[in-house]
Amino acid sequence: MRALIGLGVFFALWEALFSPPFHEVVLRLAELLGQRGFQLDIIASVLAWAIALGISIAVAVPAGLVLGSVPLLRTATRALIEFLRPIPSVALIPLAIVAMGGGSDTKIALAVYASVWPILFNTIYSMAEIDPLLVDTARTFGLRRPRILLTVVLPHAAPFVFTGIRLASSIALILIVSTEFLAGAPRGIGTFILNASSGAGRLDLVLAGTVVAGVFGFLVNAGLERLGRRLFRWQQ
């Protein structure tokens, strides 16, 4: 409720102080939502976002479980991870364009690179929080390491992993739209904003595309927060 009040105040200030006013952007957005080209741009960005986030989860969760449970492997890879993690993903856009071109693969790859880290580190850190007695008890029952990871460690790590996924979802969306804008992908919200800002510079169209990206990000984050509260109610 408080978030909605904050948004209402923001939109009221926008309407009163800035040009084009909020109502004009909303009208333009309503027109755009009926146009097939804009619909395809939204679908392209959302689909790329979903693919990137899915790949990030599939890569980061198993890697985090392994690195978190094998200290020797974690120590051996620490230098590489600490070297790669601080590199801004946006700074890699020119390199990615040269290597892969400006297609969908580029924005998905960059989004995966950026969104893997919060999931990976949340998963690794969750391993340090698990009670060793739980693991020892599972071993006394003859469970092997893969079974222990699936039945003991993963349920304990799930709330931490889910938090990483929620953070990664926003990062992936930012990278998708940014790459579309900077690299000029064939389709996407970022591509729409880029085209609208060129030439005469239709600010109303630019803001309409930005609002769509912002609303989608807000809904995804709010939905994941609500899902997390339901799934991990026992942790609250």
Side-chain angles (χ1 to χ4, degrees), residues 217-228:
F218 174 80
L219 293 176
V220 168
N221 185 70
L224 289 176
E225 279 189 348
R226 179 170 296 183
L227 178 61

Side-chain angles (χ1 to χ4, degrees), residues 139-185:
R139 286 173 179 164
T140 60
F141 282 95
L143 297 183
R144 297 182 179 275
R145 185 183 293 272
R147 184 75 179 275
I148 293 175
L149 287 175
L150 290 176
T151 60
V152 178
V153 176
L154 187 57
H156 171 83
F160 300 90
V161 174
F162 192 84
T163 300
I165 292 173
R166 186 168 62 84
L167 296 173
S169 67
S170 299
I171 295 173
L173 179 61
I174 292 171
L175 261 296
I176 290 294
V177 176
S178 298
T179 306
E180 290 169 346
F181 181 81
L182 296 174

Side-chain angles (χ1 to χ4, degrees), residues 30-62:
E31 295 176 3
L32 289 172
L33 291 175
Q35 298 178 9
R36 179 168 175 78
F38 189 66
Q39 294 171 359
L40 292 176
D41 286 331
I42 295 176
I43 292 172
S45 293
V46 172
L47 184 59
W49 168 83
I51 293 173
L53 186 60
I55 294 174
S56 300
I57 295 171
V59 170
V61 174

Side-chain angles (χ1 to χ4, degrees), residues 95-168:
L95 177 61
I97 294 175
V98 172
M100 295 181 288
S104 299
D105 293 345
T106 301
K107 59 183 178 181
I108 292 174
L110 289 170
V112 169
Y113 177 83
S115 54
V116 153
W117 302 113
I119 305 174
L120 177 67
F121 280 98
N122 271 38
T123 305
I124 292 174
Y125 292 151
S126 69
M127 304 290 287
E129 299 293 328
I130 191 170
D131 188 350
L133 182 60
L134 295 176
V135 178
D136 293 338
T137 302
R139 286 173 179 164
T140 60
F141 282 95
L143 297 183
R144 297 182 179 275
R145 185 183 293 272
R147 184 75 179 275
I148 293 175
L149 287 175
L150 290 176
T151 60
V152 178
V153 176
L154 187 57
H156 171 83
F160 300 90
V161 174
F162 192 84
T163 300
I165 292 173
R166 186 168 62 84
L167 296 173

Side-chain angles (χ1 to χ4, degrees), residues 25 33 36 44 48 141 191 203 205:
V25 175
L33 291 175
R36 179 168 175 78
F141 282 95
T191 304
L203 186 57
L205 296 179

